[in-house]
Amino acid sequence: MTTSACSSVAVLSTIPRLSQHLKLALPNVSFTDVPADDSTRSRLSNAEIIVADANLLIGHVGNLPTTKWVQMTWAGVEGFVAKLRDSKTTPPNFQVTRFSGQSFGYAMSEYVVAQIVNFERDQRRQYENQSRAKWEQSGRVSDHRRLCELTVGILGVGEIGGFLAKVLKTLGARVWGMSRSPPAEISEKDFKRRNLHHLDAHVTGASLAKLLESCDYVVNVMPSTDSTRGLLNGDALKSCAARGSVFVNIGRGSVIDESDLINALERKWISGAILDVFENEPLSEHSKLWSFPQVTISPHVAGISKPEDIAQVFAANYVRYTAGKSLQNVLDHNRGY
């Protein structure tokens, strides 16, 4: 069944130049910027399609009588889902799609590969040596492992995690992946789309400890949901001790309490941590995590929502919408992503 094309789309976002990129992607569609002020509600009240930042839209969800579809500009929508639950608001009667796709796969894979290589080659010490004009080849500077010698575990092999698996496998690493569904329950189409054939081992949460004890690096890519929050709390990372794994978090900080992560570092269950996301952001200047020399901290930049990428994802979904086809990356309110 074909849906009539929507001639005007409302854009509620602080992302610079988003409307311009949307217009370039769909020149026959009119995009109207909606300011985040007292006029927002009235300006959105007649919108059929909205492109929005999750935090700006949440207060208007119950006042969108004509809206049929909202395209979010972020991949993470747990805050949006949580506020709906906290306010006891029923899920909206329009479809919500997350921003996801290959662009995030490229960005986050770049981040992970760069950080692993930097950690293995002790790049921090090389920078320090350079600042002191010191020529030194000892330790990991010269005696380092290559990616093809490493086993990397990925917690969450959805579209982004699967893309990361493909990149790591191309570079020779052995790759483990964990998903909520066992391979037998994943359709052949999804299995291929998510690049799961690149995994050397595919497990579910029941085998989390086995993955942790088998991998040199453990990369969390999971969203924040009821089933993932606190997954690594307590002594979960103790399973990493024998191998001295490095924990990499580019998913959500809620997967482990900060105090439990600090405990794992102090007890040397993990030999290091590469952290892009945290329970509370920005990370407090008083956090002990800043003081560990084996910890690398970045300010939630592993995957940035670029306007040109959002426009391409929206354009692809817009074509599906007007053709009456199912949309991609539809938010499942029960799962939280």
Side-chain angles (χ1 to χ4, degrees):
M1 179 180 174
T2 302
T3 304
S4 59
C6 178
S7 60
S8 181
V9 176
V11 181
L12 178 63
S13 176
T14 60
I15 297 175
R17 303 181 306 282
L18 177 56
S19 289
Q20 292 93 315
H21 284 283
L22 289 165
K23 290 171 185 176
L24 287 172
L26 292 168
N28 295 324
V29 178
S30 173
F31 293 93
T32 303
D33 283 310
V34 176
D37 57 24
D38 293 339
S39 68
T40 304
R41 179 170 297 185
S42 61
R43 288 171 179 263
L44 293 178
S45 61
N46 295 316
E48 179 183 338
I49 300 176
I50 302 172
V51 178
D53 298 349
N55 63 321
L56 298 181
L57 185 72
I58 185 64
H60 306 285
V61 169
N63 298 283
L64 301 172
T66 63
T67 302
K68 296 181 180 178
W69 167 35
V70 171
Q71 171 68 59
M72 293 297 190
T73 58
W74 303 346
V77 292
E78 64 277 359
F80 179 81
V81 174
K83 286 188 177 181
L84 285 179
R85 290 178 179 174
D86 291 345
S87 63
K88 298 182 180 178
T89 302
T90 56
N93 57 5
F94 49 81
Q95 290 192 92
V96 176
T97 53
R98 298 178 299 106
F99 169 51
S100 187
Q102 201 171 72
S103 62
F104 267 143
Y106 279 117
M108 291 188 164
S109 296
E110 259 185 32
Y111 178 93
V112 171
V113 170
Q115 295 290 355
I116 291 176
V117 171
N118 283 343
F119 192 92
E120 286 299 313
R121 292 173 180 256
D122 206 352
Q123 196 65 46
R124 179 177 297 179
R125 186 152 66 91
Q126 292 193 56
Y127 290 144
E128 292 171 351
N129 289 343
Q130 180 178 339
S131 69
R132 299 195 298 267
K134 183 179 181 181
W135 184 278
E136 183 182 63
Q137 295 179 326
S138 64
R140 296 203 316 271
V141 172
S142 60
D143 185 18
H144 51 257
R145 297 176 296 182
R146 298 166 297 170
L147 275 163
C148 62
E149 299 172 76
L150 300 173
T151 299
V152 182
I154 303 172
L155 306 182
V157 281
E159 193 167 354
I160 295 171
F163 192 94
L164 173 59
K166 175 183 176 181
V167 171
L168 290 169
K169 195 64 186 172
T170 301
L171 293 170
R174 180 173 171 79
V175 186
W176 283 53
M178 188 188 85
S179 64
R180 59 183 294 154
S181 302
E185 295 180 10
I186 301 174
S187 69
E188 184 177 347
K189 180 180 178 181
D190 274 354
F191 201 87
K192 183 177 181 180
R193 178 180 63 83
R194 288 159 55 183
N195 291 293
L196 301 185
H197 51 287
H198 292 286
L199 297 176
D200 295 288
H202 187 172
V203 301
T204 63
S207 299
L208 173 61
K210 182 65 176 175
L211 181 149
L212 296 177
E213 69 184 27
S214 303
C215 296
D216 301 298
Y217 284 78
V218 177
V219 185
N220 175 50
V221 192
M222 297 184 295
S224 180
T225 68
D226 291 342
S227 61
T228 64
R229 280 188 287 274
L231 183 68
L232 299 179
N233 280 356
D235 63 354
L237 291 181
K238 190 174 183 179
S239 296
C240 296
R243 204 163 182 123
S245 315
V246 177
F247 175 58
V248 183
N249 197 357
I250 58 172
R252 284 296 180 263
S254 61
V255 75
I256 183 170
D257 286 341
E258 186 176 318
S259 59
D260 290 332
L261 178 55
I262 290 170
N263 184 55
L265 287 161
E266 290 179 333
R267 289 175 176 265
K268 295 182 169 46
W269 293 342
I270 54 176
S271 62
I274 296 162
L275 309 170
D276 186 58
V277 291
F278 305 87
E279 280 187 279
N280 298 299
E281 296 181 359
L283 180 65
S284 168
E285 62 184 283
H286 303 295
S287 172
K288 195 171 184 178
L289 289 172
W290 293 105
S291 65
F292 289 97
Q294 71 272 40
V295 171
T296 298
I297 291 172
S298 56
H300 203 147
V301 291
I304 296 295
S305 296
K306 292 182 175 290
E308 57 269 38
D309 296 330
I310 297 169
Q312 291 304 314
V313 167
F314 175 79
N317 252 345
Y318 183 84
V319 171
R320 299 179 71 88
Y321 177 83
T322 55
K325 296 181 179 180
S326 59
L327 301 181
Q328 296 177 324
N329 302 315
V330 175
L331 170 62
D332 184 325
H333 289 274
N334 293 321
R335 290 188 173 185
Y337 64 93

